[in-house]
Amino acid sequence: MSIKTATLDGIATIEIARPEKKNALTQAMYQAMADALRAAQADPAVRAVLFTGQPGIFTSGNDLEDFMRRPPQGPESPVFRFMRALLDCDKPVIAAVTGAAIGIGTTMLLHCDFVYVSDEARLAMPFVSLGLVPEFASSLLVPQRMGHVRAAEKLLLGDPFTGAEAVECGIANAVLPAAEVVNHARRVAERFNAPTLSVSQQIHATEFSVEIGQLLGLTAKKRFGMVLEVRSYSHHQAPLAFQAIYIPGNVRHLDLPSRKVLHT
């Protein structure tokens, strides 16, 4: 199957392990990664998810021979199950990228919370040159991250780019020597083992704050300057204040479990 999984010290590691095929992904591998993400999501002992490849190769993208034999058929196909599982995962997802990250190897990074790349990494999204539509919302997210001009180079021309460029473009957090990438990413993942508030609750609080700003018809610039008191509840129903946002002339409270906006 070529996907290795392990859970240790609160970290669920998903390793792409098919170096003889440059970590090309088959349908079975997508299903294995989807299952691993769902298992990590359901396991309360898991605090973070770590994606890794092999030394010198993250993934070369889809195994075209496998996809030609069994093309995806609808939303229940393994590739879409993987995409949905990654989108649904509310635990921090960290990616450690060394070597080539082609196609899905780059687009999946747009949906990770932390991305660390090696100084010899090469990322590329060659969809258009293959007659394909850019996948996994990349035609929306890439221009948002790096602007239209750079996005055109990466998406329309499929130009490869370095790890340093990935950091500059907002796709990755940092570029490191290849030998240090996985260990650094693991150290970041281990930081979520601290006995603090669930990171997933903090993520939800942030997302809901943005939702409320959108519902109120505020522009992104105005949303950035808001102060809204967001209240969440732990599993023990202990009220916790995350963030205070001021809306001129009106203070509102958001009760996260019900997403109900209360005027005060």
Tab-separated table of all heavy atoms in Angstrom, residues 144 201-230 242-243 245 247 254 256 259 261:
chain	number	residue	atom	x	y	z
A	144	GLN	N	-4.648	33.832	-3.895
A	144	GLN	CA	-4.807	34.494	-2.608
A	144	GLN	C	-3.492	34.543	-1.855
A	144	GLN	O	-3.196	35.537	-1.174
A	144	GLN	CB	-5.857	33.757	-1.759
A	144	GLN	CG	-7.285	33.929	-2.240
A	144	GLN	CD	-8.271	33.172	-1.372
A	144	GLN	OE1	-7.885	32.309	-0.568
A	144	GLN	NE2	-9.552	33.464	-1.515
A	201	GLN	N	-10.320	23.757	19.116
A	201	GLN	CA	-11.295	24.745	19.568
A	201	GLN	C	-10.849	26.149	19.198
A	201	GLN	O	-11.661	26.995	18.822
A	201	GLN	CB	-11.475	24.633	21.070
A	201	GLN	CG	-12.233	23.383	21.501
A	201	GLN	CD	-12.413	23.360	23.000
A	201	GLN	OE1	-11.458	23.256	23.747
A	201	GLN	NE2	-13.643	23.468	23.422
A	202	GLN	N	-9.536	26.410	19.302
A	202	GLN	CA	-9.031	27.718	18.925
A	202	GLN	C	-9.199	27.964	17.437
A	202	GLN	O	-9.543	29.061	17.005
A	202	GLN	CB	-7.559	27.830	19.317
A	202	GLN	CG	-7.321	27.704	20.813
A	202	GLN	CD	-5.877	27.940	21.172
A	202	GLN	OE1	-5.279	28.888	20.715
A	202	GLN	NE2	-5.325	27.048	21.984
A	203	ILE	N	-8.950	26.912	16.636
A	203	ILE	CA	-9.139	27.029	15.185
A	203	ILE	C	-10.586	27.362	14.871
A	203	ILE	O	-10.895	28.245	14.069
A	203	ILE	CB	-8.708	25.729	14.479
A	203	ILE	CG1	-7.186	25.561	14.570
A	203	ILE	CG2	-9.148	25.745	13.013
A	203	ILE	CD1	-6.682	24.229	14.052
A	204	HIS	N	-11.505	26.646	15.534
A	204	HIS	CA	-12.925	26.908	15.300
A	204	HIS	C	-13.290	28.324	15.709
A	204	HIS	O	-14.090	28.998	15.046
A	204	HIS	CB	-13.783	25.904	16.066
A	204	HIS	CG	-13.787	24.541	15.468
A	204	HIS	ND1	-13.871	24.336	14.110
A	204	HIS	CD2	-13.697	23.313	16.026
A	204	HIS	CE1	-13.854	23.040	13.864
A	204	HIS	NE2	-13.739	22.402	15.019
A	205	ALA	N	-12.734	28.799	16.815
A	205	ALA	CA	-13.041	30.151	17.265
A	205	ALA	C	-12.629	31.173	16.216
A	205	ALA	O	-13.352	32.125	15.930
A	205	ALA	CB	-12.328	30.438	18.586
A	206	THR	N	-11.445	30.974	15.646
A	206	THR	CA	-10.964	31.891	14.614
A	206	THR	C	-11.858	31.845	13.396
A	206	THR	O	-12.233	32.867	12.820
A	206	THR	CB	-9.520	31.533	14.217
A	206	THR	OG1	-8.701	31.584	15.380
A	206	THR	CG2	-8.986	32.511	13.186
A	207	GLU	N	-12.215	30.615	12.967
A	207	GLU	CA	-13.066	30.467	11.785
A	207	GLU	C	-14.419	31.141	12.002
A	207	GLU	O	-14.944	31.817	11.126
A	207	GLU	CB	-13.256	28.983	11.471
A	207	GLU	CG	-11.989	28.308	10.954
A	207	GLU	CD	-12.163	26.815	10.803
A	207	GLU	OE1	-13.164	26.288	11.342
A	207	GLU	OE2	-11.317	26.191	10.158
A	208	PHE	N	-14.992	30.968	13.201
A	208	PHE	CA	-16.305	31.542	13.464
A	208	PHE	C	-16.245	33.058	13.522
A	208	PHE	O	-17.178	33.745	13.139
A	208	PHE	CB	-16.880	30.980	14.769
A	208	PHE	CG	-17.176	29.510	14.718
A	208	PHE	CD1	-17.378	28.794	15.879
A	208	PHE	CD2	-17.238	28.841	13.501
A	208	PHE	CE1	-17.659	27.436	15.834
A	208	PHE	CE2	-17.512	27.487	13.449
A	208	PHE	CZ	-17.716	26.781	14.627
A	209	SER	N	-15.122	33.605	14.027
A	209	SER	CA	-14.964	35.052	14.039
A	209	SER	C	-15.009	35.601	12.629
A	209	SER	O	-15.631	36.626	12.353
A	209	SER	CB	-13.634	35.431	14.701
A	209	SER	OG	-13.601	35.023	16.038
A	210	VAL	N	-14.348	34.894	11.708
A	210	VAL	CA	-14.360	35.315	10.309
A	210	VAL	C	-15.760	35.207	9.738
A	210	VAL	O	-16.228	36.084	9.020
A	210	VAL	CB	-13.377	34.461	9.486
A	210	VAL	CG1	-13.519	34.773	7.996
A	210	VAL	CG2	-11.948	34.733	9.933
A	211	GLU	N	-16.460	34.109	10.088
A	211	GLU	CA	-17.828	33.931	9.592
A	211	GLU	C	-18.720	35.080	10.022
A	211	GLU	O	-19.518	35.587	9.237
A	211	GLU	CB	-18.405	32.611	10.108
A	211	GLU	CG	-17.815	31.380	9.440
A	211	GLU	CD	-18.417	30.113	10.000
A	211	GLU	OE1	-19.449	30.208	10.704
A	211	GLU	OE2	-17.871	29.039	9.736
A	212	ILE	N	-18.608	35.486	11.283
A	212	ILE	CA	-19.446	36.565	11.787
A	212	ILE	C	-19.130	37.862	11.059
A	212	ILE	O	-20.008	38.639	10.694
A	212	ILE	CB	-19.264	36.728	13.304
A	212	ILE	CG1	-19.872	35.516	14.014
A	212	ILE	CG2	-19.915	38.005	13.797
A	212	ILE	CD1	-21.334	35.293	13.693
A	213	GLY	N	-17.845	38.116	10.841
A	213	GLY	CA	-17.465	39.304	10.084
A	213	GLY	C	-18.081	39.308	8.707
A	213	GLY	O	-18.546	40.344	8.209
A	214	GLN	N	-18.145	38.140	8.076
A	214	GLN	CA	-18.752	38.037	6.751
A	214	GLN	C	-20.258	38.263	6.822
A	214	GLN	O	-20.850	38.944	5.984
A	214	GLN	CB	-18.428	36.675	6.152
A	214	GLN	CG	-16.951	36.515	5.803
A	214	GLN	CD	-16.606	35.087	5.433
A	214	GLN	OE1	-17.308	34.147	5.811
A	214	GLN	NE2	-15.521	34.919	4.709
A	215	LEU	N	-20.886	37.675	7.855
A	215	LEU	CA	-22.332	37.828	8.007
A	215	LEU	C	-22.720	39.286	8.223
A	215	LEU	O	-23.772	39.734	7.801
A	215	LEU	CB	-22.834	36.977	9.177
A	215	LEU	CG	-22.837	35.459	8.962
A	215	LEU	CD1	-23.182	34.758	10.259
A	215	LEU	CD2	-23.829	35.078	7.867
A	216	LEU	N	-21.836	40.022	8.907
A	216	LEU	CA	-22.120	41.425	9.180
A	216	LEU	C	-21.807	42.313	7.983
A	216	LEU	O	-21.999	43.526	8.044
A	216	LEU	CB	-21.307	41.895	10.388
A	216	LEU	CG	-21.656	41.228	11.726
A	216	LEU	CD1	-20.693	41.684	12.792
A	216	LEU	CD2	-23.082	41.552	12.118
A	217	GLY	N	-21.314	41.714	6.905
A	217	GLY	CA	-21.037	42.473	5.699
A	217	GLY	C	-19.810	43.350	5.802
A	217	GLY	O	-19.674	44.336	5.074
A	218	LEU	N	-18.891	43.002	6.696
A	218	LEU	CA	-17.707	43.826	6.870
A	218	LEU	C	-16.653	43.471	5.832
A	218	LEU	O	-16.511	42.319	5.447
A	218	LEU	CB	-17.122	43.604	8.268
A	218	LEU	CG	-18.052	43.950	9.426
A	218	LEU	CD1	-17.386	43.571	10.735
A	218	LEU	CD2	-18.405	45.425	9.410
A	219	THR	N	-15.914	44.447	5.390
A	219	THR	CA	-14.818	44.196	4.479
A	219	THR	C	-13.682	43.532	5.246
A	219	THR	O	-13.651	43.563	6.475
A	219	THR	CB	-14.291	45.501	3.862
A	219	THR	OG1	-13.737	46.299	4.908
A	219	THR	CG2	-15.398	46.263	3.160
A	220	ALA	N	-12.759	42.926	4.507
A	220	ALA	CA	-11.629	42.256	5.157
A	220	ALA	C	-10.841	43.237	6.017
A	220	ALA	O	-10.400	42.911	7.115
A	220	ALA	CB	-10.722	41.638	4.091
A	221	LYS	N	-10.687	44.467	5.537
A	221	LYS	CA	-9.926	45.464	6.292
A	221	LYS	C	-10.620	45.787	7.604
A	221	LYS	O	-9.996	45.905	8.658
A	221	LYS	CB	-9.756	46.729	5.452
A	221	LYS	CG	-8.874	47.787	6.115
A	221	LYS	CD	-8.646	48.971	5.191
A	221	LYS	CE	-7.745	50.005	5.837
A	221	LYS	NZ	-7.512	51.158	4.944
A	222	LYS	N	-11.957	45.921	7.568
A	222	LYS	CA	-12.695	46.225	8.789
A	222	LYS	C	-12.714	45.038	9.732
A	222	LYS	O	-12.647	45.194	10.946
A	222	LYS	CB	-14.119	46.647	8.448
A	222	LYS	CG	-14.193	48.021	7.787
A	222	LYS	CD	-15.634	48.411	7.501
A	222	LYS	CE	-15.701	49.803	6.855
A	222	LYS	NZ	-17.086	50.190	6.529
A	223	ARG	N	-12.818	43.811	9.156
A	223	ARG	CA	-12.807	42.623	9.991
A	223	ARG	C	-11.507	42.537	10.777
A	223	ARG	O	-11.478	42.119	11.928
A	223	ARG	CB	-12.954	41.368	9.134
A	223	ARG	CG	-14.374	40.998	8.805
A	223	ARG	CD	-14.405	39.721	8.014
A	223	ARG	NE	-15.013	39.961	6.723
A	223	ARG	CZ	-14.663	39.350	5.612
A	223	ARG	NH1	-13.692	38.485	5.617
A	223	ARG	NH2	-15.272	39.622	4.487
A	224	PHE	N	-10.414	42.946	10.127
A	224	PHE	CA	-9.100	42.860	10.752
A	224	PHE	C	-9.031	43.736	11.993
A	224	PHE	O	-8.315	43.435	12.944
A	224	PHE	CB	-8.025	43.291	9.747
A	224	PHE	CG	-6.636	42.936	10.176
A	224	PHE	CD1	-6.197	41.622	10.101
A	224	PHE	CD2	-5.768	43.902	10.651
A	224	PHE	CE1	-4.912	41.281	10.494
A	224	PHE	CE2	-4.481	43.569	11.045
A	224	PHE	CZ	-4.053	42.256	10.960
A	225	GLY	N	-9.789	44.814	12.025
A	225	GLY	CA	-9.737	45.723	13.154
A	225	GLY	C	-10.842	45.523	14.165
A	225	GLY	O	-10.965	46.290	15.112
A	226	MET	N	-11.665	44.489	13.965
A	226	MET	CA	-12.770	44.264	14.886
A	226	MET	C	-12.284	43.764	16.237
A	226	MET	O	-11.201	43.237	16.370
A	226	MET	CB	-13.726	43.209	14.319
A	226	MET	CG	-14.504	43.648	13.098
A	226	MET	SD	-15.816	42.454	12.731
A	226	MET	CE	-15.021	40.896	12.993
A	227	VAL	N	-13.159	43.929	17.236
A	227	VAL	CA	-12.935	43.283	18.524
A	227	VAL	C	-14.245	42.619	18.924
A	227	VAL	O	-15.176	43.292	19.266
A	227	VAL	CB	-12.536	44.303	19.609
A	227	VAL	CG1	-12.231	43.572	20.902
A	227	VAL	CG2	-11.348	45.109	19.174
A	228	LEU	N	-14.306	41.304	18.824
A	228	LEU	CA	-15.539	40.565	19.148
A	228	LEU	C	-15.214	39.552	20.230
A	228	LEU	O	-14.245	38.835	20.127
A	228	LEU	CB	-16.065	39.839	17.909
A	228	LEU	CG	-17.169	38.804	18.099
A	228	LEU	CD1	-18.421	39.450	18.641
A	228	LEU	CD2	-17.475	38.086	16.807
A	229	GLU	N	-15.983	39.531	21.273
A	229	GLU	CA	-15.720	38.552	22.326
A	229	GLU	C	-16.282	37.220	21.892
A	229	GLU	O	-17.480	37.056	21.716
A	229	GLU	CB	-16.373	38.969	23.642
A	229	GLU	CG	-16.029	38.022	24.778
A	229	GLU	CD	-16.665	38.464	26.062
A	229	GLU	OE1	-16.815	39.676	26.250
A	229	GLU	OE2	-17.014	37.589	26.859
A	230	VAL	N	-15.388	36.270	21.705
A	230	VAL	CA	-15.794	34.939	21.278
A	230	VAL	C	-15.702	34.001	22.462
A	230	VAL	O	-14.665	33.929	23.116
A	230	VAL	CB	-14.879	34.441	20.143
A	230	VAL	CG1	-15.265	33.031	19.739
A	230	VAL	CG2	-14.956	35.375	18.953
A	242	PHE	N	-11.734	33.768	24.083
A	242	PHE	CA	-10.602	33.670	23.175
A	242	PHE	C	-10.113	35.027	22.690
A	242	PHE	O	-8.940	35.311	22.641
A	242	PHE	CB	-11.008	32.896	21.920
A	242	PHE	CG	-10.997	31.432	22.099
A	242	PHE	CD1	-12.177	30.718	22.054
A	242	PHE	CD2	-9.819	30.770	22.300
A	242	PHE	CE1	-12.174	29.354	22.202
A	242	PHE	CE2	-9.809	29.410	22.442
A	242	PHE	CZ	-10.991	28.697	22.400
A	243	GLN	N	-11.033	35.801	22.217
A	243	GLN	CA	-10.616	36.991	21.493
A	243	GLN	C	-11.702	38.040	21.658
A	243	GLN	O	-12.873	37.717	21.620
A	243	GLN	CB	-10.441	36.628	20.007
A	243	GLN	CG	-9.869	37.748	19.160
A	243	GLN	CD	-9.679	37.259	17.723
A	243	GLN	OE1	-9.980	36.130	17.412
A	243	GLN	NE2	-9.204	38.127	16.873
A	245	ILE	N	-13.357	41.361	20.087
A	245	ILE	CA	-13.398	42.151	18.859
A	245	ILE	C	-14.420	43.257	19.012
A	245	ILE	O	-15.552	42.998	19.394
A	245	ILE	CB	-13.777	41.278	17.656
A	245	ILE	CG1	-12.773	40.154	17.501
A	245	ILE	CG2	-13.858	42.093	16.388
A	245	ILE	CD1	-13.095	39.213	16.392
A	247	ILE	N	-16.832	46.000	17.488
A	247	ILE	CA	-17.539	46.451	16.299
A	247	ILE	C	-18.127	47.803	16.642
A	247	ILE	O	-18.957	47.899	17.544
A	247	ILE	CB	-18.668	45.477	15.907
A	247	ILE	CG1	-18.084	44.078	15.700
A	247	ILE	CG2	-19.395	45.954	14.655
A	247	ILE	CD1	-19.138	43.033	15.474
A	254	LEU	N	-20.609	35.676	20.500
A	254	LEU	CA	-20.859	34.490	19.689
A	254	LEU	C	-20.721	33.261	20.566
A	254	LEU	O	-19.673	33.002	21.139
A	254	LEU	CB	-19.839	34.420	18.542
A	254	LEU	CG	-19.885	33.164	17.673
A	254	LEU	CD1	-21.248	33.062	17.005
A	254	LEU	CD2	-18.787	33.192	16.640
A	256	LEU	N	-20.184	29.667	20.539
A	256	LEU	CA	-19.671	28.772	19.511
A	256	LEU	C	-20.463	27.484	19.328
A	256	LEU	O	-20.684	27.064	18.208
A	256	LEU	CB	-18.198	28.440	19.784
A	256	LEU	CG	-17.227	29.612	19.639
A	256	LEU	CD1	-15.804	29.106	19.790
A	256	LEU	CD2	-17.396	30.287	18.299
A	259	ARG	N	-23.361	28.683	17.488
A	259	ARG	CA	-23.058	29.729	16.511
A	259	ARG	C	-24.139	30.829	16.531
A	259	ARG	O	-24.464	31.405	15.506
A	259	ARG	CB	-22.950	29.156	15.095
A	259	ARG	CG	-21.860	28.130	14.926
A	259	ARG	CD	-21.588	27.915	13.474
A	259	ARG	NE	-20.598	26.864	13.285
A	259	ARG	CZ	-20.023	26.583	12.124
A	259	ARG	NH1	-20.349	27.275	11.058
A	259	ARG	NH2	-19.151	25.635	12.019
A	261	VAL	N	-25.564	34.413	17.471
A	261	VAL	CA	-25.084	35.759	17.758
A	261	VAL	C	-26.072	36.438	18.698
A	261	VAL	O	-27.273	36.488	18.436
A	261	VAL	CB	-24.948	36.584	16.466
A	261	VAL	CG1	-24.440	37.977	16.794
A	261	VAL	CG2	-23.996	35.895	15.503
